Amino acid sequence: MKQKVEDLDWKNLGFVYRDLPYRYEAKYKDGEWQEGKLIEDSTLVLSEGAEILHYGQEIFEGLKAYRREDGKINLFRPDENAHRFALSAERLAMPPFPEDRFVEAVKQVVLANKEYVPPYDSGATLYLRPFMIGTSNVLGVQAADEYTFRIFAVPVGAYIKGLNPADYIVSEYDRAAYAGTGQAKTSGNYASSLLPSVEAHKNGFADCLYLDPREHKYVDEFGGANFYGITQEGQFVTPKSKSILISITKRSLLELAKKQGLNPVERQITLEEAFNMKEAGAMGTAAVISPVGSITYEGKKHVIYSETETGPVTTKLYNELVDIQYGKQEGPEGWVQTID
Ligand code: PLP
Ligand code: COI
């Protein structure tokens, strides 16, 4: 059933799938990408032999459209999503979707579903989910030769707890099926994080924190976001690791932290060090910045800053990032694309 705009409660959207009027679809066939178009049907028809169903050839992205105060709509660094999508495609032996067409298609989906972009002061956004799947039949382990690319959109609220601190648990499982694929955004990586996240939620935690898969000594990332900490000396530190997703929010915050004099650095961070951070947070498109209230490891809870209040460095970074995304403040050149 299509989502009616008048049935939406902008302040209580949650982060759930909704079937909006339009999505974009393009198909890859005979060695090339066909022309794409907006369609209304939210379903997909697949053969039982389709690659995606057996060997998981799938990649995806996540980005948001923000309603500005003047009613126009901002996209935040969509060219970066287009580029990472192409890198993910390459890693999974899929034909990259042209980056300019990706950004163009995102704009088409936003405009077609314009009335679903939440109002300026609601705290909600329109989340866009581009993805690509291998659709041709395979039996042996091999790449598909036909693919479907789609982008759908959903209005969303906070993914974790907004700017309220959340509790996390160190996962006993490795996040990725094998190290390295963490850099591509693929369903396979997330499927291996489902059991740990089900267990974490059952025990009252917002998400898992994963350690490096080799030594289980260094912090990697959360199930759906990168990690940062503010050291006792006031430095912004974030893990350097080959098995974490290359986060666009992280790269943006590295730049903002530099401007704010936080002397940011990407380096290995031991779990012990993470417990002793002055402040810490999860960062990502869906998470925005979600403060870490505590990290539990081997049954012991380590409170970071406060379980109820957000630290001043985190608050300042959050405000600057969000102000740029909504167009309240000018960001670095090229970060924001405004559409009417
Ligand atoms: N890490 C994981 C596992 C994620 O799912 C995400 C979300 O996309 C991120 C990090 C943050 O990436 P980005 O800031 O590009 O959204
Ligand atoms: C995003 O932030 O876009 C993500 O993909 C995270 C996902 C867990 C919702």
Side-chain angles (χ1 to χ4, degrees), residues 15 60-64 81 84 127-129 159 175 185 190 207 223-225 245 249 283-288:
F15 197 90
F60 70 96
E61 270 302 324
L63 68 160
K64 284 173 170 174
N81 295 92
R84 186 172 61 190
Y127 185 77
L128 294 136
R129 174 52 62 88
Y159 182 58
R175 173 166 194 282
K185 238 168 127 59
Y190 292 79
D207 200 354
L245 190 74
T249 315
M283 49 188 169
T285 299
V288 194

mmCIF file of all heavy atoms in Angstrom, residues 15 60-64 81 84 127-129 159 175 185 190 207 223-225 245 249 283-288, ligand 2:
data_model
loop_
_atom_site.group_PDB
_atom_site.id
_atom_site.type_symbol
_atom_site.label_atom_id
_atom_site.label_comp_id
_atom_site.label_asym_id
_atom_site.label_seq_id
_atom_site.Cartn_x
_atom_site.Cartn_y
_atom_site.Cartn_z
ATOM 1 N N PHE A 15 12.541 4.840 11.826
ATOM 2 C CA PHE A 15 13.416 4.540 10.685
ATOM 3 C C PHE A 15 12.898 3.240 10.089
ATOM 4 O O PHE A 15 13.403 2.149 10.357
ATOM 5 C CB PHE A 15 14.870 4.416 11.166
ATOM 6 C CG PHE A 15 15.884 4.522 10.054
ATOM 7 C CD1 PHE A 15 16.407 5.744 9.673
ATOM 8 C CD2 PHE A 15 16.326 3.379 9.391
ATOM 9 C CE1 PHE A 15 17.341 5.848 8.643
ATOM 10 C CE2 PHE A 15 17.262 3.471 8.363
ATOM 11 C CZ PHE A 15 17.768 4.709 8.002
ATOM 12 N N PHE A 60 24.736 -1.261 -1.833
ATOM 13 C CA PHE A 60 23.748 -0.199 -1.598
ATOM 14 C C PHE A 60 24.414 1.049 -1.054
ATOM 15 O O PHE A 60 25.589 1.055 -0.717
ATOM 16 C CB PHE A 60 22.638 -0.681 -0.659
ATOM 17 C CG PHE A 60 23.043 -0.908 0.770
ATOM 18 C CD1 PHE A 60 22.849 0.087 1.716
ATOM 19 C CD2 PHE A 60 23.583 -2.111 1.183
ATOM 20 C CE1 PHE A 60 23.189 -0.116 3.053
ATOM 21 C CE2 PHE A 60 23.941 -2.322 2.506
ATOM 22 C CZ PHE A 60 23.739 -1.329 3.441
ATOM 23 N N GLU A 61 23.628 2.105 -0.989
ATOM 24 C CA GLU A 61 24.075 3.386 -0.449
ATOM 25 C C GLU A 61 22.985 3.952 0.450
ATOM 26 O O GLU A 61 21.850 3.456 0.452
ATOM 27 C CB GLU A 61 24.370 4.392 -1.578
ATOM 28 C CG GLU A 61 25.801 4.347 -2.074
ATOM 29 C CD GLU A 61 26.813 4.601 -0.956
ATOM 30 O OE1 GLU A 61 26.531 5.414 -0.065
ATOM 31 O OE2 GLU A 61 27.868 3.976 -0.965
ATOM 32 N N GLY A 62 23.325 4.991 1.183
ATOM 33 C CA GLY A 62 22.342 5.702 1.986
ATOM 34 C C GLY A 62 22.721 7.170 1.998
ATOM 35 O O GLY A 62 23.870 7.509 2.284
ATOM 36 N N LEU A 63 21.775 8.015 1.633
ATOM 37 C CA LEU A 63 22.011 9.467 1.712
ATOM 38 C C LEU A 63 20.680 10.151 1.997
ATOM 39 O O LEU A 63 19.630 9.509 1.939
ATOM 40 C CB LEU A 63 22.683 10.016 0.449
ATOM 41 C CG LEU A 63 21.917 10.052 -0.871
ATOM 42 C CD1 LEU A 63 22.589 11.059 -1.803
ATOM 43 C CD2 LEU A 63 21.916 8.695 -1.542
ATOM 44 N N LYS A 64 20.748 11.446 2.334
ATOM 45 C CA LYS A 64 19.521 12.119 2.756
ATOM 46 C C LYS A 64 19.264 13.417 2.000
ATOM 47 O O LYS A 64 20.208 14.082 1.561
ATOM 48 C CB LYS A 64 19.610 12.462 4.246
ATOM 49 C CG LYS A 64 19.409 11.268 5.174
ATOM 50 C CD LYS A 64 19.697 11.676 6.601
ATOM 51 C CE LYS A 64 19.289 10.604 7.593
ATOM 52 N NZ LYS A 64 19.722 10.992 8.963
ATOM 53 N N ASN A 81 28.566 9.625 -2.478
ATOM 54 C CA ASN A 81 27.836 8.353 -2.478
ATOM 55 C C ASN A 81 27.949 7.670 -3.840
ATOM 56 O O ASN A 81 28.101 6.453 -3.926
ATOM 57 C CB ASN A 81 26.363 8.570 -2.125
ATOM 58 C CG ASN A 81 26.175 9.069 -0.719
ATOM 59 O OD1 ASN A 81 26.120 10.271 -0.483
ATOM 60 N ND2 ASN A 81 26.130 8.175 0.251
ATOM 61 N N ARG A 84 31.437 6.133 -3.990
ATOM 62 C CA ARG A 84 31.588 4.920 -3.168
ATOM 63 C C ARG A 84 30.784 3.765 -3.755
ATOM 64 O O ARG A 84 31.209 2.603 -3.703
ATOM 65 C CB ARG A 84 31.151 5.202 -1.724
ATOM 66 C CG ARG A 84 31.420 4.038 -0.786
ATOM 67 C CD ARG A 84 31.166 4.398 0.662
ATOM 68 N NE ARG A 84 29.783 4.788 0.880
ATOM 69 C CZ ARG A 84 29.333 5.327 2.010
ATOM 70 N NH1 ARG A 84 30.166 5.550 3.017
ATOM 71 N NH2 ARG A 84 28.066 5.648 2.148
ATOM 72 N N TYR A 127 15.266 9.896 3.436
ATOM 73 C CA TYR A 127 16.396 8.982 3.267
ATOM 74 C C TYR A 127 16.302 8.321 1.892
ATOM 75 O O TYR A 127 15.238 7.855 1.492
ATOM 76 C CB TYR A 127 16.346 7.916 4.363
ATOM 77 C CG TYR A 127 17.522 6.973 4.379
ATOM 78 C CD1 TYR A 127 18.753 7.364 4.897
ATOM 79 C CD2 TYR A 127 17.403 5.669 3.905
ATOM 80 C CE1 TYR A 127 19.827 6.498 4.942
ATOM 81 C CE2 TYR A 127 18.475 4.789 3.947
ATOM 82 C CZ TYR A 127 19.688 5.208 4.468
ATOM 83 O OH TYR A 127 20.757 4.346 4.512
ATOM 84 N N LEU A 128 17.417 8.294 1.195
ATOM 85 C CA LEU A 128 17.440 7.680 -0.143
ATOM 86 C C LEU A 128 18.275 6.418 -0.099
ATOM 87 O O LEU A 128 19.360 6.417 0.482
ATOM 88 C CB LEU A 128 18.018 8.671 -1.153
ATOM 89 C CG LEU A 128 17.076 9.863 -1.315
ATOM 90 C CD1 LEU A 128 17.842 11.161 -1.316
ATOM 91 C CD2 LEU A 128 16.234 9.714 -2.558
ATOM 92 N N ARG A 129 17.753 5.373 -0.699
ATOM 93 C CA ARG A 129 18.428 4.086 -0.669
ATOM 94 C C ARG A 129 18.676 3.585 -2.103
ATOM 95 O O ARG A 129 17.840 2.916 -2.689
ATOM 96 C CB ARG A 129 17.572 3.092 0.129
ATOM 97 C CG ARG A 129 18.033 1.649 0.158
ATOM 98 C CD ARG A 129 19.464 1.448 0.561
ATOM 99 N NE ARG A 129 19.837 1.872 1.887
ATOM 100 C CZ ARG A 129 19.762 1.119 2.988
ATOM 101 N NH1 ARG A 129 19.273 -0.086 2.931
ATOM 102 N NH2 ARG A 129 20.188 1.588 4.146
ATOM 103 N N TYR A 159 17.805 7.545 13.731
ATOM 104 C CA TYR A 159 18.119 6.117 13.588
ATOM 105 C C TYR A 159 18.428 5.504 14.948
ATOM 106 O O TYR A 159 17.969 4.422 15.260
ATOM 107 C CB TYR A 159 19.324 5.943 12.653
ATOM 108 C CG TYR A 159 19.677 4.497 12.415
ATOM 109 C CD1 TYR A 159 18.741 3.633 11.874
ATOM 110 C CD2 TYR A 159 20.935 4.004 12.742
ATOM 111 C CE1 TYR A 159 19.049 2.295 11.654
ATOM 112 C CE2 TYR A 159 21.257 2.683 12.514
ATOM 113 C CZ TYR A 159 20.314 1.828 11.977
ATOM 114 O OH TYR A 159 20.629 0.514 11.763
ATOM 115 N N ARG A 175 32.481 -8.533 12.360
ATOM 116 C CA ARG A 175 31.415 -7.896 11.616
ATOM 117 C C ARG A 175 31.275 -8.439 10.194
ATOM 118 O O ARG A 175 30.211 -8.796 9.743
ATOM 119 C CB ARG A 175 31.652 -6.399 11.551
ATOM 120 C CG ARG A 175 30.663 -5.724 10.658
ATOM 121 C CD ARG A 175 30.663 -4.263 10.831
ATOM 122 N NE ARG A 175 29.482 -3.788 10.198
ATOM 123 C CZ ARG A 175 29.357 -3.655 8.886
ATOM 124 N NH1 ARG A 175 30.353 -3.930 8.112
ATOM 125 N NH2 ARG A 175 28.227 -3.253 8.377
ATOM 126 N N LYS A 185 29.825 -1.394 0.564
ATOM 127 C CA LYS A 185 28.551 -1.446 1.271
ATOM 128 C C LYS A 185 27.725 -2.548 0.625
ATOM 129 O O LYS A 185 27.092 -2.346 -0.399
ATOM 130 C CB LYS A 185 27.859 -0.091 1.132
ATOM 131 C CG LYS A 185 27.544 0.562 2.476
ATOM 132 C CD LYS A 185 27.137 1.994 2.278
ATOM 133 C CE LYS A 185 25.826 2.351 2.925
ATOM 134 N NZ LYS A 185 25.731 2.152 4.356
ATOM 135 N N TYR A 190 26.225 -6.817 6.231
ATOM 136 C CA TYR A 190 25.206 -6.480 7.224
ATOM 137 C C TYR A 190 24.500 -7.741 7.708
ATOM 138 O O TYR A 190 24.120 -7.827 8.869
ATOM 139 C CB TYR A 190 24.219 -5.459 6.655
ATOM 140 C CG TYR A 190 24.888 -4.116 6.450
ATOM 141 C CD1 TYR A 190 25.704 -3.875 5.358
ATOM 142 C CD2 TYR A 190 24.734 -3.098 7.380
ATOM 143 C CE1 TYR A 190 26.352 -2.665 5.182
ATOM 144 C CE2 TYR A 190 25.370 -1.876 7.221
ATOM 145 C CZ TYR A 190 26.176 -1.669 6.120
ATOM 146 O OH TYR A 190 26.811 -0.469 5.961
ATOM 147 N N ASP A 207 23.347 -0.734 19.724
ATOM 148 C CA ASP A 207 24.074 -1.333 18.595
ATOM 149 C C ASP A 207 25.327 -2.000 19.148
ATOM 150 O O ASP A 207 25.673 -1.838 20.320
ATOM 151 C CB ASP A 207 24.460 -0.236 17.584
ATOM 152 C CG ASP A 207 24.765 -0.792 16.183
ATOM 153 O OD1 ASP A 207 24.798 -2.029 16.010
ATOM 154 O OD2 ASP A 207 24.971 0.032 15.268
ATOM 155 N N GLY A 223 27.739 -1.245 14.177
ATOM 156 C CA GLY A 223 27.020 -1.995 13.159
ATOM 157 C C GLY A 223 26.584 -1.130 11.984
ATOM 158 O O GLY A 223 26.574 -1.582 10.844
ATOM 159 N N GLY A 224 26.243 0.126 12.261
ATOM 160 C CA GLY A 224 25.748 0.988 11.190
ATOM 161 C C GLY A 224 26.357 2.368 11.171
ATOM 162 O O GLY A 224 25.760 3.317 10.647
ATOM 163 N N ALA A 225 27.550 2.511 11.744
ATOM 164 C CA ALA A 225 28.180 3.834 11.798
ATOM 165 C C ALA A 225 29.656 3.704 12.188
ATOM 166 O O ALA A 225 30.046 2.691 12.775
ATOM 167 C CB ALA A 225 27.459 4.713 12.824
ATOM 168 N N LEU A 245 33.712 0.672 6.954
ATOM 169 C CA LEU A 245 33.179 1.389 5.798
ATOM 170 C C LEU A 245 33.806 2.788 5.724
ATOM 171 O O LEU A 245 34.020 3.429 6.745
ATOM 172 C CB LEU A 245 31.657 1.520 5.923
ATOM 173 C CG LEU A 245 31.011 2.039 4.638
ATOM 174 C CD1 LEU A 245 30.987 0.964 3.576
ATOM 175 C CD2 LEU A 245 29.622 2.556 4.890
ATOM 176 N N THR A 249 30.293 10.779 6.362
ATOM 177 C CA THR A 249 30.115 11.630 7.545
ATOM 178 C C THR A 249 31.440 11.751 8.291
ATOM 179 O O THR A 249 31.817 12.843 8.736
ATOM 180 C CB THR A 249 29.039 11.024 8.482
ATOM 181 O OG1 THR A 249 27.925 10.608 7.690
ATOM 182 C CG2 THR A 249 28.592 12.017 9.536
ATOM 183 N N MET A 283 29.046 7.922 14.034
ATOM 184 C CA MET A 283 28.767 8.892 12.969
ATOM 185 C C MET A 283 28.445 8.195 11.658
ATOM 186 O O MET A 283 29.095 7.236 11.267
ATOM 187 C CB MET A 283 29.937 9.874 12.803
ATOM 188 C CG MET A 283 31.276 9.207 12.705
ATOM 189 S SD MET A 283 32.619 10.421 12.731
ATOM 190 C CE MET A 283 34.005 9.305 12.933
ATOM 191 N N GLY A 284 27.405 8.698 11.002
ATOM 192 C CA GLY A 284 26.973 8.115 9.742
ATOM 193 C C GLY A 284 25.771 8.879 9.221
ATOM 194 O O GLY A 284 25.233 9.741 9.931
ATOM 195 N N THR A 285 25.345 8.556 8.017
ATOM 196 C CA THR A 285 24.200 9.257 7.428
ATOM 197 C C THR A 285 22.950 9.048 8.279
ATOM 198 O O THR A 285 22.274 10.008 8.652
ATOM 199 C CB THR A 285 23.963 8.755 5.995
ATOM 200 O OG1 THR A 285 25.138 9.037 5.251
ATOM 201 C CG2 THR A 285 22.769 9.429 5.362
ATOM 202 N N ALA A 286 22.651 7.788 8.586
ATOM 203 C CA ALA A 286 21.459 7.504 9.386
ATOM 204 C C ALA A 286 21.660 7.953 10.828
ATOM 205 O O ALA A 286 20.786 8.575 11.434
ATOM 206 C CB ALA A 286 21.132 6.014 9.329
ATOM 207 N N ALA A 287 22.831 7.680 11.403
ATOM 208 C CA ALA A 287 23.107 7.992 12.813
ATOM 209 C C ALA A 287 23.352 9.489 13.036
ATOM 210 O O ALA A 287 23.210 9.973 14.149
ATOM 211 C CB ALA A 287 24.315 7.205 13.288
ATOM 212 N N VAL A 288 23.717 10.215 11.995
ATOM 213 C CA VAL A 288 24.195 11.606 12.060
ATOM 214 C C VAL A 288 25.382 11.574 13.035
ATOM 215 O O VAL A 288 26.399 10.966 12.731
ATOM 216 C CB VAL A 288 23.106 12.617 12.499
ATOM 217 C CG1 VAL A 288 23.556 14.048 12.221
ATOM 218 C CG2 VAL A 288 21.783 12.353 11.750
HETATM 219 C C1 COI B 2 23.385 4.802 6.503
HETATM 220 O O1 COI B 2 23.731 5.505 7.442
HETATM 221 O O2 COI B 2 22.974 5.250 5.438
HETATM 222 C C2 COI B 2 23.412 3.358 6.607
HETATM 223 O O3 COI B 2 23.498 2.694 5.641
HETATM 224 C C3 COI B 2 23.300 2.754 7.915
HETATM 225 C C4 COI B 2 22.231 1.722 7.935
HETATM 226 C C5 COI B 2 22.550 0.810 9.053
HETATM 227 C C6 COI B 2 20.863 2.322 8.050
#
